[in-house]
Amino acid sequence: MKTMLNVALPKGRLGEKVYAMFETAGFPCPSIKENNRKLIFENPECGVRYFWVKPSDVAIYVERGAADIGVAGKDILLEYQPDVYELLDLNLGKCRMCVAAKSGFRDDTRRQLRVATKFTNIAQNYYRSLGRDIDIIHLNGSIEIAPILGLSDVIVDIVETGTTLKENDLLVYDTIVPISARLISNKASYKFKGSQIDQIIRSMNAQMEEAR
Ligand code: PRP
C-alpha cells in the first residue's frame, strides 16, 4: 500500500480552488466533490487523504503532524508563527493586512493608540517597529464596529475588496503587509514524504506559470 499523504484544506471557496490544484498535481479524490457534510476523504490508490478544516486551524494540524501539508493564509502564519515549512506562495486568497479608521482620524502621538484586532501579534509587531505605544483590544470578529462605537481609535484587519470598510464608513490608513495563501508542510513530513511533496510543489508551480 502507498504511504498516505494527509492534506489539510481550508474549508470554503479557497479550499475548493486549492483542491483543484492538488487534483491536477496527481492527487485526485473524486468523493470530495460529493456534496455532504463529511470532513475526511481519501483515495488510497493515489495515496492521499484530505480534511476540510477551519482556515485558521490548518497551521495547527500541520505543525502537530495531524496533516503533512496544508494551505494557510500568510496572516495566520505571521500571527501564530507555527513551526512549519512555508513551501510556496499560491497567489490565491490575496488581500492585505491594513490599519483602518474613521475618516478624519488623526493620530495624536501623545496618547496611547487604541487598536482593535483579531491579529494582536501582527499589530503589536507593526506598532513596535514604529515605536508607537498602543493599547491592544483583542476581538474575534466584526472588528469594523470598534472605531464606530468608540471602543478603539483604529483597527488592524484584513481588507480584500474593501467593501466592509466602505459600508461602515472606514478608510485604510496604512497597509502593513500583503497576504496570500501558502502551501505549508510539517517539518518531519517533508523529510519522509518529500518525493510526494516535491511532486506537488513542481506541479503547482507549473500550474501557476500556466495561469499567468
Ligand atoms: C474579513 C475581514 C473583514 C472582511 C474584509 O472578515 O475581517 O471584515 O473580511 O473583506 P472585504 O474587504 O472584501 O469586505 P471575515 O469574512 O473573515 O470575517 P470576520 O468578521 O470573522 O473577520
Side-chain angles (χ1 to χ4, degrees), residues 118 141-142 144 157-164:
K118 247 199 291 203
S142 301
E144 292 82 1
D157 201 12
I158 285 168
V159 178
E160 192 183 350
T161 60
T163 312
T164 312

